[in-house]
Structure formats: C-alpha cells, structure tokens
C-alpha cells in the first residue's frame, strides 16, 4: 500500500504542474509588458523580448522545457526582477512553514482538549457548550478572526504586535509573539472542525467493550482515556488532518498579507499585482506540491497507526 501511494504521488505532481502551467498561460497579464516598467517599450522591443525568452514557442515546447527545468530544481527567473524564483521561495517558504506548523500545534492542542472533554461529558452542559463554540469556530473565516484579534489584543490592549515578523534567531519569545495572532487566526476554524471529529471518535471508543472492562478493573479514567482511548481515537482524524493542513497553507496567503508577514502569501499577492507570472507560478507550485507531500506523510502515518490497514494490504 505504501508503494502504491508513492507511485500515485508522481502522476499527481505531474498533473499539478500541468494544471498550473496551463492556467498561468491563460493569465491576462503579458509578461513582456510587465517586464518593461511603465509600458514604454516599442512593439519591436516587446517582440524581441518574447522571442528571447521563449514566449513565442508552442505551448507543448514550453511545457517540456518548464518540466525539464523543474527536474533540475530551476523554478525559472522573474522577468521583472531578473532574480531566480527559487531564491525568493527559499526566503519566503520558512516563514510560511513556521506559521502553518504553529497553527497545526495550536489547532491539535485545542481540538484534542475540547474534543475529549466533550466526549467524556457527552450530552451534558460541557458537551453542549463545546459543540456551540465549535460551530461558531467552523463558521468564522480566518480573515474575520484576524481582524477581531488585531482590534482586541493588538490595537486595544497592545498585548501583541499588529504585524511584522521576528526571526527565531532573535529569541523564542519575540518570535512566538510575532506569530501568535496569525497562527491562532489560521488555527481556529481547523481546531473547531477537528474538535467535532475527535469528539465523535472518542465517543465511539468509549462505547467499546475494552473500555468497560478497563473501568470494571478499577483503572483511573485518565489512564483509560490517555493510554487506550485517545491513542485509538486519533487514528481516524489523521486522514482529515492532511486536508486541513492544505487548507491552512492556502489560508496563509490571506493571513500573511493581513499581518504583513513576508512569507509565501504576501510575496504571491505582490507578484500578482506586479504581473510577475514566473513568481506566481513558482509560489503556487510550491504550495500545491507541499500539500501533496503533507498528504503523503499523513497517509504513511495512518498506515503506521492503523495495524488493521497494514494487515489488510
């Protein structure tokens, strides 16, 4: 089964590359016009530029050349800044990864605590309250949550900065302080969705015979839940986690822009505004391939955590 997942990964990546390449070719922006600031170039200069950069080549020829460059780790060169796209990705990607990773930690921590609590107090007031909170969280868009947090905690009370990024090398505290609000904004909808999923999984486990046996033997509830129930209940949410991580990668585009974080999202928005197709293409491909890699890793973790699936394969 792991081999099948790995073999399927290759055509998926090629499909993503083809899709992004074709879509970007139909973008309304003319790379030649965008490369000349102010649009002062003559038609002869524009045509010479297109010819020199292969923009007049047939689409299949350009696609084969593009894939060949990608295989060698070349994401192309910005026709506006004349800088390799990969250099910009190397600078921006670490911040997006840090933001997403911190959001995942927050989402999983909150979802596990609330989901288990709701399951233990099933159909009682803590369960009803958590269900209501999770419903509100699912309906709350990340950008709206970000605006509220900026207004309440940054502008109103000054507890956090309204934007900007502090590198981890300058201190763990300042780094966490700079990413706390954007990470929580990104994590809240995911935490709300995962809370409902974890609650359902834990409820199913609590109704099984081995839990009643453990309780009958006098084992403390914390031991039963922590050692057995939680380990088994978190297997199914793993499959949903991969999709949610992809959602967070996409949501980082908006959140980074709102908090002025120089990650993949803000750079992508700027590249769209500049008409820099090479950069937009490189950013979109990086995020899409990252999403596929994350889902592959989650599939592997699911196989490791679920012995029955390994036996069936």
């Amino acid at each position: 089964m792991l081999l099948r997942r790995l073999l399927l990964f290759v055509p998926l990546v090629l499909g993503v590359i083809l899709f992004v390449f074709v879509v970007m070719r139909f973008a309304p922006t003319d790379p030649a016009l965008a490369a000349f600031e102010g649009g002062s170039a003559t038609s002869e200069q524009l045509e010479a530029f297109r010819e020199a950069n292969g923009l007049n080549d047939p689409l299949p020829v350009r696609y084969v050349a593009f894939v060949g460059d990608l295989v060698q780790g070349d994401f192309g060169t910005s026709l506006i800044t004349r800088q390799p796209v990969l250099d910009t990705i190397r600078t921006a990607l670490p911040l997006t990864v840090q933001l997403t990773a911190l959001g995942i930690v927050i989402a999983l921590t909150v979802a596990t605590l609330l989901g288990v609590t709701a399951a233990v107090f099933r159909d009682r007031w803590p369960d009803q309250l958590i269900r209501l909170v999770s419903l509100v969280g699912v309906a709350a868009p990340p950008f709206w949550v970000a605006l509220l947090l900026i207004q309440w905690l940054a502008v109103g009370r000054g507890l956090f900065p309204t934007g900007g990024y502090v590198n981890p090398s300058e201190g763990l505290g300042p780094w966490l302080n700079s990413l706390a609000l954007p990470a929580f904004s990104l994590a809240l909808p995911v935490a709300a969705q995962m809370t409902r999923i974890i609650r359902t999984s834990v409820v199913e486990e609590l109704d099984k015979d081995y839990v009643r046996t453990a309780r009958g033997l006098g084992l403390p509830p914390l031991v039963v839940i922590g050692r057995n129930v939680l380990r088994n209940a978190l297997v199914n949410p793993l499959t949903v986690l991969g999709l949610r991580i992809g959602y967070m990668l996409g949501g980082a585009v908006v959140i980074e822009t709102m908090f002025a974080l120089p990650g993949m999202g803000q750079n992508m928005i700027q590249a769209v505004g500049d008409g820099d197709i090479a950069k937009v293409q490189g950013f979109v491909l990086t995020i899409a391939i990252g999403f596929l890699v994350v889902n592959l890793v989650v599939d592997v973790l699911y196989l490791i955590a679920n012995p029955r699936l390994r036996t069936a394969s």
Side-chain angles (χ1 to χ4, degrees):
M1 183 169 289
L2 180 58
L3 181 60
R4 287 200 298 269
R5 293 281 198 280
L6 293 173
L7 292 176
L8 184 62
F9 181 75
V10 176
L12 281 174
V13 171
L14 292 176
V16 167
I17 293 173
L18 177 61
F19 177 77
V20 172
F21 179 82
V22 172
V23 168
M24 296 309 299
R25 296 292 78 76
F26 288 100
T29 303
D30 186 347
L33 287 174
F36 288 92
E37 261 187 72
S40 58
T42 64
S43 58
E44 290 79 9
Q45 288 176 315
L46 292 175
E47 188 61 29
F49 181 87
R50 295 188 186 102
E51 191 65 34
N53 290 278
L55 299 177
N56 290 334
D57 293 340
L59 200 61
V61 174
R62 294 163 64 186
Y63 175 71
V64 171
F66 179 64
V67 174
D69 290 340
L70 284 179
V71 171
Q72 300 175 36
D74 183 3
F75 280 73
T77 301
S78 169
L79 298 180
I80 297 176
T81 64
R82 302 294 181 176
Q83 298 295 323
V85 175
L86 188 58
D87 289 350
T88 308
I89 293 175
R90 284 172 177 163
T91 303
L93 183 60
L95 193 154
T96 301
V97 171
Q98 292 169 27
L99 175 61
T100 306
L102 186 58
I104 292 169
V105 171
I106 294 173
L108 285 180
T109 302
V110 172
T112 302
L113 289 175
L114 294 183
V116 172
T117 303
V120 171
F121 294 96
R122 178 178 16 175
D123 296 330
R124 285 180 276 177
W125 72 263
D127 182 24
Q128 302 294 340
L129 178 60
I130 291 172
R131 280 202 237 179
L132 177 61
V133 171
S134 64
L135 184 61
V136 173
V138 169
F143 71 88
W144 181 75
V145 175
L147 287 173
L148 292 180
L149 292 177
I150 291 173
Q151 182 63 37
W152 292 345
L153 300 179
V155 176
R157 291 174 174 79
L159 299 177
F160 298 94
T162 57
Y165 171 68
V166 177
N167 196 284
S169 61
E170 300 180 27
L172 183 61
W175 172 75
L176 283 173
N177 197 48
S178 67
L179 289 184
L181 293 188
F184 188 81
S185 304
L186 204 58
L188 181 60
V190 176
Q193 294 169 357
M194 294 298 295
T195 296
R196 297 161 69 89
I197 296 170
I198 291 175
R199 177 199 176 276
T200 302
S201 296
V202 173
V203 166
E204 291 176 356
E205 289 297 320
L206 289 175
D207 289 337
K208 291 184 177 178
D209 292 337
Y210 78 89
V211 175
R212 286 192 288 268
T213 302
R215 285 173 172 171
L217 293 174
L219 292 177
L222 287 178
V223 174
V224 176
I225 294 174
R227 184 179 297 177
N228 302 109
V229 172
L230 195 56
R231 183 175 59 184
N232 295 329
L234 291 182
V235 171
N236 289 331
L238 269 178
T239 57
V240 182
L241 179 61
L243 297 175
R244 295 301 93 198
I245 293 175
Y247 168 85
M248 294 177 77
L249 284 171
V253 173
V254 177
I255 296 300
E256 286 177 1
T257 304
M258 295 184 66
F259 286 93
L261 300 174
M264 296 285 289
Q266 190 182 48
N267 277 275
M268 187 188 301
I269 297 297
Q270 182 179 354
V272 171
D274 295 339
D276 196 337
I277 291 181
K279 277 189 177 181
V280 176
Q281 188 172 254
F283 294 146
V284 172
L285 270 177
T286 302
I287 292 175
I289 293 175
F291 173 71
L292 293 178
V293 170
V294 166
N295 276 275
L296 177 63
V297 172
V298 170
D299 284 344
V300 173
L301 292 176
Y302 186 70
L303 289 172
I304 294 173
N306 193 340
R308 290 172 297 179
L309 191 59
R310 295 202 305 271
T311 304
S313 64

